[in-house]
Amino acid sequence: MTRSNSFSRLAAAALGVALVSAPLSAQDYLYANAQGEAKVAVIDIATLQVAHTVDLTTLGFSENAKPHHVAVEPDGSFWYVSLIGENRVLKFDRNNELVGQAEFEVPGMLAIDPNDDLLYVGRSMSAVNPPQRIGVIERSTMSVDEIDVLFPRPHALIVHPSGAQVYSASLGVNQLAAVDAESWDVELVNVPGETHALVQFAVSPDGGTLVATTELTGTLQVFDLTDPASPAFVRSIEVGTQPWHPVYGRDGRHVYFGNKADNTIVEVDVEGGRISRTFDTPEADHPHGSALSPDGRLLFVSNNGPGGMDMAMGGDEPMDHGAMAMDHGAHAMEEEGLGTLTVIDLDSGRVVATIPVGDNATGVAARYPR
């Protein structure tokens, strides 16, 4: 695979591409990983019921496969899951049949290029000293290449709505990388402040703002993307302890995520620089991944559940993050080992369902209509 052929692309879409809400259809599913059970729960968004469970052990993978993050094609035709314990990224079709796979060392976050046949892959938080590169997979063939991002522990990952840039950030140093998707040129951006451990990104629907959650400093870092190739730091918003995977609302103003160590799920007004809502979610238990329904009305947040996010690599490498050794305490569900999915109606602000999905629920995703 070379950039000159497989990775060639039409001219990047103009900046300011806007996401549009799409009505739900009978084919809308949300995919939620049960990392502790090597399973993926497939949730029917219309009924909020588990429609199917993909048991990776029945496909030849180990009980230590550790499915972590998931990404879905914009039309819902295929979905992808990273397996930390198997060093692989798998591709499934809409019928949940395994149709492809790629080898990649300790894969973590996934991000689909909306305008090209590419899937980007970061490194797992469980990897103490992974390669200083992110992966780029050609989705049609599942062939793999890698891009050097020049800093340790590249974890956070997202693609600009135009597809022109992909952003990665480090858990080890206060830097993010803006990678030109055509040339693979990298611009490093220093993030001010104490060591943050940048967890994950979200980009506003109009492509104008990038936000990043920080594990160690409990903030949402805000960057202006007037020039997507050069993110410009704007402000830091204090949001709680260990904010995890953020998702932008369809209004382009609010961002949603869980604070893992606070067991809270919040809405942040990015323009106002403040938390605008803290949802009443007593069942939240180490909230982790976030996703919206295609119509933007429902917010799904996974909860690791009792035991938290145990991501140790079968004794190969110790974890070095306080987040990996969590005391689940008062918010633990009564049923031991159960990770759940909290579903919030963003219009009313109320929890409309709590769906059991399995031990150590982590990454979640639904199709992302454009």
Coordinates of all heavy atoms in Angstrom, one line a residue, residues 279-354:
F279 N -25.8 15.5 34.7 CA -27.0 14.7 34.7 C -27.1 13.9 35.9 O -26.1 13.5 36.6 CB -27.0 13.8 33.4 CG -26.9 14.5 32.1 CD1 -25.7 14.7 31.4 CD2 -28.1 15.1 31.6 CE1 -25.6 15.4 30.3 CE2 -28.0 15.9 30.4 CZ -26.8 16.0 29.7
D280 N -28.4 13.6 36.3 CA -28.7 12.8 37.5 C -28.5 11.3 37.1 O -29.4 10.7 36.6 CB -30.1 13.1 38.0 CG -30.4 12.3 39.2 OD1 -29.5 11.8 39.9 OD2 -31.6 12.2 39.6
T281 N -27.3 10.8 37.4 CA -27.0 9.4 36.9 C -26.4 8.6 38.1 O -25.2 8.3 38.1 CB -26.0 9.4 35.7 OG1 -24.9 10.2 36.1 CG2 -26.7 10.0 34.5
P282 N -27.2 8.3 39.1 CA -26.6 7.5 40.2 C -26.1 6.2 39.8 O -25.2 5.6 40.6 CB -27.8 7.4 41.2 CG -29.0 7.6 40.3 CD -28.6 8.5 39.2
E283 N -26.5 5.7 38.7 CA -26.0 4.3 38.2 C -24.6 4.4 37.5 O -24.0 3.4 37.3 CB -27.0 3.7 37.3 CG -27.0 4.3 35.9 CD -27.7 5.6 35.8 OE1 -28.3 6.1 36.8 OE2 -27.5 6.3 34.7
A284 N -24.1 5.7 37.3 CA -22.9 5.8 36.6 C -21.7 5.2 37.4 O -21.6 5.4 38.6 CB -22.6 7.3 36.3
D285 N -20.9 4.4 36.8 CA -19.9 3.6 37.5 C -18.6 3.6 36.6 O -18.5 2.8 35.7 CB -20.4 2.2 37.8 CG -19.4 1.4 38.7 OD1 -18.3 2.0 39.0 OD2 -19.8 0.3 39.1
H286 N -17.7 4.6 36.8 CA -16.5 4.7 36.0 C -16.9 4.9 34.5 O -16.6 4.1 33.7 CB -15.6 3.6 36.2 CG -15.1 3.4 37.6 ND1 -15.7 2.5 38.4 CD2 -14.2 4.0 38.3 CE1 -15.1 2.5 39.6 NE2 -14.2 3.5 39.6
P287 N -17.6 6.0 34.2 CA -18.1 6.2 32.8 C -16.9 6.3 31.9 O -15.9 6.9 32.2 CB -18.9 7.5 32.9 CG -18.5 8.2 34.2 CD -18.1 7.1 35.1
H288 N -17.0 5.8 30.7 CA -15.9 5.6 29.8 C -16.2 6.2 28.4 O -15.8 7.3 28.1 CB -15.5 4.2 29.7 CG -14.3 3.9 28.9 ND1 -13.1 3.5 29.5 CD2 -14.0 3.9 27.6 CE1 -12.2 3.4 28.6 NE2 -12.7 3.5 27.4
G289 N -16.9 5.5 27.6 CA -17.1 5.9 26.2 C -18.4 6.7 26.0 O -19.3 6.6 26.8
S290 N -18.5 7.5 25.0 CA -19.6 8.3 24.7 C -20.0 8.3 23.2 O -19.1 8.3 22.4 CB -19.4 9.8 25.1 OG -19.1 9.9 26.5
A291 N -21.3 8.3 22.9 CA -21.7 8.3 21.5 C -23.1 8.9 21.5 O -23.8 8.8 22.5 CB -21.7 6.9 20.9
L292 N -23.5 9.5 20.4 CA -24.8 10.0 20.1 C -25.6 9.1 19.2 O -25.0 8.4 18.3 CB -24.8 11.4 19.5 CG -24.2 12.5 20.4 CD1 -24.3 13.8 19.6 CD2 -25.0 12.7 21.7
S293 N -26.9 9.0 19.3 CA -27.7 8.4 18.3 C -27.6 9.2 17.0 O -27.3 10.4 17.1 CB -29.2 8.3 18.8 OG -29.7 9.6 19.1
P294 N -27.9 8.6 15.9 CA -27.8 9.3 14.6 C -28.6 10.6 14.6 O -28.2 11.5 13.9 CB -28.2 8.3 13.6 CG -27.8 7.0 14.2 CD -28.1 7.1 15.6
D295 N -29.7 10.6 15.3 CA -30.5 11.9 15.3 C -30.1 12.9 16.3 O -30.6 14.0 16.4 CB -32.0 11.5 15.5 CG -32.3 10.9 16.8 OD1 -31.4 10.7 17.6 OD2 -33.5 10.6 17.1
G296 N -29.0 12.5 17.1 CA -28.5 13.4 18.0 C -29.2 13.6 19.3 O -28.8 14.4 20.2
R297 N -30.3 12.9 19.5 CA -31.2 13.1 20.7 C -30.7 12.3 21.9 O -30.9 12.8 23.0 CB -32.6 12.7 20.3 CG -33.6 13.0 21.5 CD -35.0 12.7 21.0 NE -35.3 11.3 20.7 CZ -35.6 10.4 21.6 NH1 -35.8 10.7 22.9 NH2 -35.8 9.2 21.2
L298 N -30.2 11.1 21.7 CA -29.8 10.2 22.8 C -28.3 10.2 22.9 O -27.6 10.1 22.0 CB -30.3 8.8 22.5 CG -31.8 8.6 22.4 CD1 -32.2 7.1 22.1 CD2 -32.5 9.1 23.7
L299 N -27.9 10.3 24.2 CA -26.5 10.2 24.6 C -26.3 8.8 25.2 O -27.0 8.5 26.2 CB -26.1 11.3 25.5 CG -24.7 11.2 26.2 CD1 -23.6 11.3 25.2 CD2 -24.6 12.2 27.3
F300 N -25.3 8.1 24.7 CA -25.0 6.8 25.3 C -23.6 6.9 26.0 O -22.6 7.4 25.3 CB -24.9 5.7 24.2 CG -26.2 5.5 23.5 CD1 -26.6 6.3 22.4 CD2 -27.0 4.4 23.9 CE1 -27.8 6.0 21.8 CE2 -28.2 4.2 23.2 CZ -28.6 5.0 22.2
V301 N -23.5 6.5 27.2 CA -22.2 6.5 28.0 C -22.0 5.2 28.6 O -22.9 4.7 29.4 CB -22.2 7.6 29.0 CG1 -20.9 7.6 29.8 CG2 -22.4 9.0 28.4
S302 N -20.9 4.5 28.3 CA -20.6 3.2 28.9 C -20.0 3.4 30.3 O -19.4 4.4 30.6 CB -19.6 2.4 28.0 OG -18.4 3.1 27.9
N303 N -20.3 2.4 31.1 CA -19.7 2.4 32.5 C -18.9 1.1 32.6 O -19.4 0.0 32.4 CB -20.8 2.4 33.5 CG -21.7 3.6 33.4 OD1 -21.3 4.7 33.8 ND2 -22.9 3.5 32.8
N304 N -17.6 1.3 33.0 CA -16.8 0.1 33.2 C -17.4 -0.9 34.1 O -17.3 -2.1 33.9 CB -15.4 0.5 33.8 CG -14.6 1.4 32.8 OD1 -13.9 2.3 33.3 ND2 -14.7 1.2 31.5
G305 N -18.0 -0.3 35.2 CA -18.6 -1.2 36.2 C -17.6 -1.6 37.2 O -16.4 -1.1 37.2
P306 N -18.0 -2.4 38.2 CA -17.1 -2.9 39.3 C -15.8 -3.4 38.7 O -15.8 -4.2 37.8 CB -17.9 -3.9 40.0 CG -19.3 -3.6 39.7 CD -19.3 -3.0 38.3
G307 N -14.7 -3.0 39.4 CA -13.4 -3.4 38.9 C -12.8 -2.4 38.0 O -11.6 -2.5 37.7
G308 N -13.6 -1.5 37.5 CA -13.1 -0.5 36.6 C -12.5 -1.0 35.3 O -12.8 -2.1 34.9
M309 N -11.6 -0.2 34.7 CA -11.0 -0.5 33.4 C -9.7 -1.3 33.6 O -8.6 -0.8 33.5 CB -10.8 0.7 32.6 CG -10.4 0.5 31.2 SD -10.3 2.0 30.2 CE -9.0 2.9 31.0
D310 N -9.8 -2.6 33.9 CA -8.6 -3.4 34.1 C -8.1 -3.7 32.7 O -8.6 -4.6 32.0 CB -9.0 -4.7 34.8 CG -7.8 -5.6 35.0 OD1 -6.7 -5.2 34.7 OD2 -8.1 -6.8 35.3
M311 N -7.0 -3.1 32.4 CA -6.5 -3.2 31.0 C -5.1 -3.9 31.0 O -4.4 -3.8 30.0 CB -6.4 -1.9 30.3 CG -7.7 -1.2 30.0 SD -7.6 0.4 29.3 CE -6.7 0.0 27.8
A312 N -4.7 -4.5 32.1 CA -3.4 -5.1 32.2 C -3.3 -6.2 31.1 O -4.3 -6.8 30.7 CB -3.2 -5.8 33.5
M313 N -2.1 -6.3 30.5 CA -1.9 -7.1 29.3 C -1.5 -8.5 29.7 O -0.5 -9.0 29.2 CB -0.9 -6.5 28.4 CG -1.3 -5.1 27.9 SD -2.6 -5.1 26.8 CE -1.8 -5.9 25.4
G314 N -2.4 -9.2 30.5 CA -2.1 -10.5 30.8 C -0.7 -10.7 31.4 O -0.1 -11.8 31.3
G315 N -0.3 -9.8 32.2 CA 1.0 -9.9 32.9 C 2.2 -9.4 32.1 O 3.3 -9.4 32.6
D316 N 2.0 -9.0 30.8 CA 3.1 -8.6 30.0 C 3.7 -7.3 30.4 O 4.9 -7.1 30.4 CB 2.6 -8.5 28.5 CG 2.3 -9.9 28.0 OD1 2.8 -10.9 28.5 OD2 1.5 -9.9 27.0
E317 N 2.8 -6.3 30.7 CA 3.2 -5.0 31.1 C 2.3 -4.5 32.2 O 1.1 -4.6 32.1 CB 3.2 -4.1 29.9 CG 4.2 -4.4 28.8 CD 4.1 -3.4 27.7 OE1 3.0 -2.9 27.4 OE2 5.1 -3.1 27.1
P318 N 2.9 -3.9 33.2 CA 2.1 -3.3 34.3 C 1.4 -2.0 33.8 O 2.0 -1.3 33.0 CB 3.1 -3.1 35.4 CG 4.4 -2.8 34.7 CD 4.3 -3.7 33.5
M319 N 0.3 -1.7 34.4 CA -0.3 -0.4 34.1 C 0.4 0.7 34.9 O 0.8 0.5 36.0 CB -1.8 -0.5 34.5 CG -2.6 -1.4 33.7 SD -2.4 -1.0 31.9 CE -2.9 0.7 31.9
D320 N 0.4 1.9 34.4 CA 1.0 3.0 35.1 C 0.1 4.1 35.3 O 0.5 5.2 35.7 CB 2.3 3.5 34.4 CG 1.9 4.1 33.0 OD1 0.8 3.8 32.5 OD2 2.8 4.8 32.5
H321 N -1.2 3.9 35.1 CA -2.2 5.0 35.3 C -3.0 4.7 36.5 O -3.5 3.6 36.7 CB -3.1 5.1 34.0 CG -2.5 5.9 33.0 ND1 -2.9 7.2 32.6 CD2 -1.4 5.6 32.1 CE1 -2.1 7.7 31.7 NE2 -1.3 6.7 31.3
G322 N -3.2 5.7 37.3 CA -4.1 5.5 38.4 C -5.5 5.1 38.0 O -6.2 4.4 38.7
A323 N -5.9 5.5 36.8 CA -7.2 5.1 36.3 C -7.4 3.7 36.1 O -8.5 3.2 36.1 CB -7.5 5.8 35.0
M324 N -6.3 2.9 36.1 CA -6.5 1.5 35.8 C -6.7 0.7 37.1 O -7.0 -0.5 37.0 CB -5.2 1.0 35.1 CG -4.8 1.6 33.8 SD -6.1 1.6 32.6 CE -6.6 3.3 32.7
A325 N -6.6 1.3 38.2 CA -6.7 0.6 39.5 C -7.8 1.3 40.3 O -7.5 1.8 41.4 CB -5.4 0.5 40.2
M326 N -9.0 1.3 39.8 CA -10.0 2.1 40.4 C -10.8 1.3 41.5 O -11.0 0.2 41.4 CB -11.0 2.6 39.3 CG -10.3 3.6 38.4 SD -11.4 4.1 37.1 CE -11.3 2.7 36.1
D327 N -11.1 2.1 42.5 CA -11.9 1.6 43.6 C -13.4 1.9 43.3 O -13.8 3.1 43.3 CB -11.5 2.2 44.9 CG -12.4 1.8 46.1 OD1 -13.2 0.9 45.9 OD2 -12.2 2.3 47.1
H328 N -14.2 0.9 43.0 CA -15.5 1.3 42.4 C -16.5 1.7 43.5 O -17.5 2.4 43.2 CB -16.1 0.1 41.7 CG -15.8 -1.3 42.2 ND1 -16.5 -1.9 43.1 CD2 -14.7 -2.1 41.9 CE1 -16.0 -3.1 43.4 NE2 -14.9 -3.2 42.7
G329 N -16.3 1.4 44.8 CA -17.0 2.0 45.9 C -18.5 2.1 45.8 O -19.2 1.2 45.3
A330 N -19.0 3.3 46.1 CA -20.5 3.4 46.4 C -21.3 3.3 45.1 O -22.5 3.0 45.2 CB -20.7 4.7 47.1
H331 N -20.7 3.6 44.0 CA -21.5 3.6 42.8 C -21.6 2.3 42.1 O -22.2 2.1 41.0 CB -21.0 4.7 41.8 CG -21.2 6.0 42.3 ND1 -22.3 6.8 41.9 CD2 -20.5 6.8 43.2 CE1 -22.3 8.0 42.5 NE2 -21.2 8.0 43.2
A332 N -20.9 1.3 42.6 CA -20.9 0.0 42.0 C -22.3 -0.6 41.9 O -23.1 -0.5 42.7 CB -20.0 -1.0 42.7
M333 N -22.6 -1.3 40.7 CA -23.9 -1.9 40.6 C -23.9 -3.1 41.5 O -22.8 -3.7 41.9 CB -24.0 -2.4 39.1 CG -24.0 -1.3 38.1 SD -25.5 -0.3 38.2 CE -26.7 -1.5 37.5
E334 N -25.0 -3.6 41.9 CA -25.1 -4.7 42.8 C -24.6 -6.0 42.2 O -24.1 -6.8 42.9 CB -26.6 -4.8 43.2 CG -27.1 -3.7 44.1 CD -28.5 -3.9 44.6 OE1 -29.1 -5.0 44.2 OE2 -29.0 -3.1 45.3
E335 N -24.8 -6.1 40.9 CA -24.4 -7.3 40.2 C -22.9 -7.2 39.9 O -22.5 -6.4 39.0 CB -25.2 -7.6 38.9 CG -24.9 -8.9 38.3 CD -25.8 -9.2 37.1 OE1 -26.8 -8.4 36.9 OE2 -25.5 -10.1 36.4
E336 N -22.1 -8.0 40.5 CA -20.6 -7.9 40.4 C -20.2 -8.2 39.0 O -20.7 -9.1 38.3 CB -20.0 -8.9 41.3 CG -18.5 -8.8 41.3 CD -17.8 -9.7 42.3 OE1 -18.6 -10.4 43.0 OE2 -16.6 -9.7 42.4
G337 N -19.3 -7.4 38.5 CA -18.7 -7.6 37.1 C -19.5 -7.0 36.0 O -19.2 -7.3 34.9
L338 N -20.5 -6.2 36.3 CA -21.4 -5.8 35.2 C -21.1 -4.4 34.8 O -21.3 -3.4 35.5 CB -22.9 -5.9 35.7 CG -24.0 -5.6 34.7 CD1 -23.9 -6.6 33.6 CD2 -25.3 -5.6 35.4
G339 N -20.8 -4.2 33.5 CA -20.7 -2.9 32.9 C -22.0 -2.6 32.2 O -22.7 -3.5 31.8
T340 N -22.3 -1.3 32.2 CA -23.6 -0.9 31.7 C -23.5 0.2 30.7 O -22.4 0.8 30.5 CB -24.5 -0.5 32.8 OG1 -23.9 0.7 33.4 CG2 -24.8 -1.6 33.8
L341 N -24.6 0.5 30.1 CA -24.7 1.7 29.1 C -25.8 2.6 29.7 O -27.0 2.1 29.8 CB -25.1 1.1 27.7 CG -24.8 2.0 26.5 CD1 -23.4 2.4 26.4 CD2 -25.4 1.3 25.3
T342 N -25.4 3.8 30.0 CA -26.4 4.8 30.4 C -26.9 5.6 29.2 O -26.1 6.1 28.4 CB -25.8 5.8 31.4 OG1 -25.4 5.1 32.6 CG2 -26.8 6.9 31.8
V343 N -28.3 5.6 29.1 CA -28.9 6.3 27.9 C -29.6 7.5 28.4 O -30.5 7.4 29.2 CB -29.8 5.4 27.1 CG1 -30.3 6.1 25.8 CG2 -29.2 4.1 26.8
I344 N -29.2 8.7 27.9 CA -29.8 10.0 28.4 C -30.5 10.7 27.2 O -29.9 10.8 26.1 CB -28.7 10.9 29.0 CG1 -28.0 10.2 30.2 CG2 -29.3 12.3 29.3 CD1 -26.8 11.0 30.7
D345 N -31.7 11.1 27.4 CA -32.5 11.9 26.5 C -32.0 13.3 26.7 O -32.2 13.9 27.7 CB -34.0 11.8 26.7 CG -34.8 12.6 25.7 OD1 -34.3 13.7 25.2 OD2 -35.8 12.1 25.3
L346 N -31.3 13.9 25.7 CA -30.7 15.2 25.8 C -31.7 16.3 25.8 O -31.4 17.4 26.3 CB -29.6 15.5 24.7 CG -28.4 14.6 24.8 CD1 -27.4 14.9 23.7 CD2 -27.7 14.8 26.2
D347 N -32.9 16.1 25.3 CA -34.0 17.1 25.4 C -34.5 17.3 26.8 O -34.6 18.4 27.3 CB -35.1 16.7 24.5 CG -34.8 16.8 23.0 OD1 -33.8 17.5 22.7 OD2 -35.4 16.2 22.2
S348 N -34.7 16.2 27.5 CA -35.3 16.2 28.9 C -34.2 16.2 29.9 O -34.4 16.6 31.1 CB -36.2 15.1 29.1 OG -35.5 13.8 29.1
G349 N -33.0 15.7 29.5 CA -31.9 15.5 30.5 C -32.1 14.3 31.4 O -31.3 14.2 32.4
R350 N -33.0 13.4 31.1 CA -33.3 12.3 31.9 C -32.7 11.0 31.4 O -32.6 10.8 30.2 CB -34.8 12.1 32.1 CG -35.4 13.3 32.8 CD -36.9 13.1 33.0 NE -37.5 14.2 33.8 CZ -38.8 14.3 34.0 NH1 -39.7 13.4 33.5 NH2 -39.3 15.3 34.7
V351 N -32.4 10.1 32.3 CA -31.9 8.8 31.9 C -33.2 8.0 31.5 O -34.1 7.9 32.2 CB -31.2 8.0 33.1 CG1 -30.9 6.6 32.7 CG2 -30.0 8.8 33.5
V352 N -33.1 7.4 30.3 CA -34.3 6.7 29.8 C -34.0 5.2 29.7 O -34.9 4.4 29.6 CB -34.6 7.2 28.3 CG1 -35.1 8.6 28.4 CG2 -33.5 7.0 27.4
A353 N -32.8 4.8 30.0 CA -32.5 3.3 30.0 C -31.1 3.1 30.6 O -30.2 4.0 30.5 CB -32.5 2.7 28.6
T354 N -30.9 2.0 31.3 CA -29.6 1.5 31.7 C -29.5 0.1 31.2 O -30.3 -0.8 31.6 CB -29.4 1.6 33.2 OG1 -29.6 2.9 33.7 CG2 -28.1 1.1 33.6

